[in-house]
Amino acid sequence: MQVTITTLEMLTPPAAAPRAVPADVRIDRATDVSPEFARYLYGLVGGAWHWTDRLAWSREQWAEDLAAPGTEFLVLVGDGQPLGYVQLQPQPRGADAQVEVRYFGLAEGAIGRGLGGLLLEHGVAAAWTMGERFDLPAVTRVWVHTCSLDGPAALANYQSRGFVVSGVETEEQVVADAPLGSWRSLGGPVAGRPESRHISEVVHASPRAVWRFASDPDNLPRWAAGLAQAPVRRRGEQLVVDSPIGEVTVEFVGANDLGVLDHVVTLPSGEAVLNPLRVLEHPAGAELVFTVRQREMTVDEFDRDCAAVAADLARLRAHVESAAASGDDSPIGATTH
């Protein structure tokens, strides 16, 4: 899709002061914003407008961006909850500074109440005073990017507050047919669509050592508390274990050189559940990746299931690392002599 990106700037402060804030809302300023809250605001506001670039950011990436000196949020609050926000980030340039309006918008429920222009006015006023408030050079420019994927009133709103267009460009972008919406942007599940989560654990040991330990059925009770609570028994080719939900059977994939530890668990009900588990090479040693599938369970049950798997993998890591003195750093499938 062709996306039009417009850069707007303001080179002098507005002549008029921002309008007074109505009694039923308030604007809070925050400087030490946590990555968690910043990501929440990003998903809350951006879910309606294809804001997806930062959804995959790690906490460290969010923290690094927020650590820029002078970064400030103005959060519009009403009915006890955020209704929108402005994120400002000053950029010193030697003798002066410019301030970027990094993000600005309203939550979907606040659109149409005349609050967007008000919030932006207060954000612009805050931007022009950042030099004196944050011991930075004097601000000589406030600027912002908007694009054709933003709200239909975005460009006009910026121009109404005194911004003027300083550049326009187009680029080809891969864009979803429809925005995610705030619920999904904030990690909410979609009704009727089972979810899968990949739970991982980095192990400071060779992939071979991890695979050897995890593929040994006798080690199951030592790390897989959610599966085996007593020594494993053999019944022909099947492994029989006493689990928290009763007796189950386990069948692991055969020996392989690929780090595959997939296994089928047959529940007391007779239902067979495939559990994908892989051992991958990692710069620190190895990485365990377990795919948990929601199946027929509530969100709370799925969260508990994922937490149990994470705890199991952490125990597996601890056992393998404690035995890493064996010095086996050969790749999976290698033969040692």
Side-chain angles (χ1 to χ4, degrees), residues 38-53:
R39 191 184 189 284
Y40 166 76
L41 292 172
Y42 179 87
L44 176 70
V45 170
W49 309 115
H50 291 283
W51 291 11
T52 58
D53 292 350

Side-chain angles (χ1 to χ4, degrees), residues 3-321:
V3 176
T4 301
I5 301 167
T6 303
T7 302
L8 300 101
E9 65 181 9
M10 184 183 293
L11 301 180
T12 57
R19 289 170 287 165
V21 178
D24 59 341
V25 297
R26 69 176 193 270
I27 297 176
D28 293 340
R29 290 189 183 183
T31 53
D32 294 323
V33 174
S34 68
E36 290 81 3
F37 189 49
R39 191 184 189 284
Y40 166 76
L41 292 172
Y42 179 87
L44 176 70
V45 170
W49 309 115
H50 291 283
W51 291 11
T52 58
D53 292 350
R54 297 190 175 195
L55 293 181
W57 271 22
S58 67
R59 190 181 191 280
E60 290 73 23
Q61 287 174 294
W62 279 99
E64 181 180 0
D65 181 71
L66 295 168
T71 296
E72 182 175 51
F73 284 63
L74 281 76
V75 183
L76 179 68
V77 180
D79 302 321
Q81 59 186 327
L83 300 178
Y85 80 112
V86 179
Q87 180 183 349
L88 303 173
Q89 190 171 88
Q91 300 159 342
R93 304 185 296 181
D96 64 358
Q98 62 181 5
V99 176
E100 180 186 1
V101 180
R102 295 297 293 273
Y103 291 100
F104 157 69
L106 298 177
E108 292 181 72
I111 294 173
R113 295 171 54 182
L115 297 172
L118 173 80
L119 176 59
L120 185 56
E121 288 174 16
H122 283 266
V124 168
W128 280 106
T129 62
M130 288 193 120
E132 57 202 67
R133 293 188 295 111
F134 289 97
D135 193 25
L136 295 167
V139 175
T140 59
R141 179 177 184 251
V142 177
W143 68 281
V144 64
H145 281 314
T146 188
C147 76
S148 52
L149 296 176
D150 287 335
L155 182 58
N157 193 3
Y158 287 122
Q159 292 175 313
S160 295
R161 299 324 128 194
F163 285 92
V164 296
V165 175
S166 60
V168 178
E169 59 183 292
T170 60
E171 63 180 41
E172 188 71 26
Q173 294 185 12
V174 177
V175 180
D177 293 337
L180 291 175
S182 299
W183 176 257
R184 290 191 64 194
S185 290
L186 292 170
V190 179
R193 182 183 299 174
E195 183 183 352
S196 292
R197 293 183 195 170
H198 303 295
I199 312 298
S200 69
E201 185 80 27
V202 175
V203 184
H204 295 278
S206 71
R208 180 64 176 174
V210 176
W211 191 87
R212 279 178 172 170
F213 185 92
S215 64
D216 185 345
D218 291 329
N219 288 329
L220 276 175
R222 301 175 63 185
W223 64 272
L227 178 61
Q229 296 186 322
V232 175
R233 306 186 299 279
R234 271 77 171 176
R235 183 183 297 159
E237 297 297 321
Q238 291 184 326
L239 304 174
V240 182
V241 298
D242 294 323
S243 79
I245 60 173
E247 184 180 279
V248 302
T249 62
V250 183
E251 296 181 55
F252 276 90
V253 68
N256 62 87
D257 298 339
L258 303 175
V260 178
L261 282 169
D262 294 3
H263 50 285
V264 175
V265 178
T266 302
L267 306 178
S269 64
E271 178 186 5
V273 179
L274 171 64
N275 294 303
L277 174 59
R278 308 296 164 90
V279 182
L280 310 174
E281 291 189 7
H282 187 277
E287 182 177 15
L288 286 157
V289 181
F290 193 117
T291 300
V292 186
R293 293 169 175 161
Q294 189 172 5
R295 299 173 25 250
E296 295 182 3
M297 59 179 70
T298 67
V299 173
D300 287 344
E301 290 170 337
F302 184 51
D303 287 341
R304 288 195 294 270
D305 202 20
C306 289
V309 169
D312 286 349
L313 296 187
R315 276 189 293 271
L316 175 54
R317 173 189 55 77
H319 281 298
V320 174
E321 288 182 347

